[in-house]
Amino acid sequence: MERSVSEKLSEKQKKNTERSVSEKFLSDKQKNTERSVSEKFLLKKQKKKNSETQNAKKNRFLITVNVLGSAGPLRFVVKEEDSVGTIIDKALKLYSREGRLPILGFGSTNFLLYQANAVSDALNPSESIGSSGGRNFLLCKKQKQPQMTEGRSEMISRKGSGSWKAWINKSFSFKISSH
């Protein structure tokens, strides 16, 4: 009879160990499914972030700005929706930061931005740089219209009537003799 009791005990222990092993296996399986769900969630989140950064990168591009009178072009990254005025400001700041010559100043209203490969008017400072469709630009200083002063108007009126010697003689109050 003792055997039967010991056999019964051992059978119960076997069943208990089988249950605990199966429970452990199930709990491990559940953990794996939980991990896989969380990993899937993280992967989806990372993919979403990657697509957002790719979209943000799609809206940015490299432009080349040649400054009239400067040795080489400026290259920098801009957003597609940046205005032409903002691009002029960025170009002037980069130009001065690099210590280039000739010194231009910072007044973006004193400059015009043209597309380098198109023969057209200057770009409107309020329109976006992406709407122009170009990546190469030319930055020029605006030509100031000279104001009409008395001396200038007098010089223009006498332009056809006298020679340069007469003008110099009058300006400097001395005479240059001619041969």
Side-chain angles (χ1 to χ4, degrees):
M1 247 182 138
E2 283 186 30
R3 261 189 171 177
S4 65
V5 171
S6 65
E7 285 177 8
K8 285 183 182 179
L9 281 175
S10 67
E11 282 179 30
K12 280 186 178 180
Q13 286 176 345
K14 283 182 184 178
K15 284 183 182 179
N16 285 339
T17 55
E18 285 176 8
R19 280 184 191 162
S20 66
V21 167
S22 65
E23 285 174 1
K24 281 184 180 179
F25 179 73
L26 284 176
S27 66
D28 286 343
K29 212 172 188 183
Q30 286 174 345
K31 285 179 183 177
N32 285 339
T33 57
E34 286 175 9
R35 284 183 190 160
S36 64
V37 168
S38 63
E39 286 174 0
K40 287 179 183 177
F41 179 74
L42 287 174
L43 287 173
K44 283 182 183 180
K45 197 172 185 179
Q46 287 175 348
K47 285 181 184 178
K48 187 177 179 182
K49 281 184 181 179
N50 288 340
S51 66
E52 286 175 359
T53 56
Q54 286 176 351
N55 287 340
K57 288 180 182 178
K58 286 181 186 177
N59 293 337
R60 303 184 85 162
F61 54 89
L62 180 71
I63 64 168
T64 303
V65 177
N66 290 303
V67 180
L68 197 63
S70 181
L74 300 169
R75 290 184 181 92
F76 52 97
V77 177
V78 296
K79 293 179 185 173
E80 189 175 2
E81 63 270 0
D82 283 347
S83 69
V84 171
T86 305
I87 302 305
I88 293 172
D89 280 337
K90 286 181 181 181
L92 291 173
K93 286 177 184 173
L94 182 62
Y95 185 89
S96 91
R97 194 177 316 136
E98 291 180 1
R100 294 184 179 221
L101 294 174
I103 297 173
L104 299 175
F106 290 102
S108 65
T109 57
N110 297 331
F111 293 89
L112 298 172
L113 192 67
Y114 295 90
Q115 266 191 300
N117 54 357
V119 181
S120 65
D121 292 335
L123 298 172
N124 184 356
S126 61
E127 74 180 45
S128 71
I129 197 73
S131 67
S132 68
R135 302 294 182 258
N136 298 317
F137 300 95
L138 178 66
L139 184 65
C140 302
K141 203 165 195 174
K142 283 183 185 176
Q143 295 293 326
K144 292 187 178 182
Q145 296 295 329
Q147 293 180 351
M148 194 60 74
T149 61
E150 283 183 35
R152 183 162 172 79
S153 63
E154 188 177 312
M155 186 173 65
I156 291 172
S157 65
R158 291 186 184 185
K159 191 174 185 180
S161 64
S163 68
W164 64 273
K165 290 180 189 176
W167 180 79
I168 289 177
N169 284 336
K170 184 176 181 189
S171 297
F172 295 114
S173 301
F174 64 90
K175 294 187 178 186
I176 298 176
S177 61
S178 58
H179 300 343

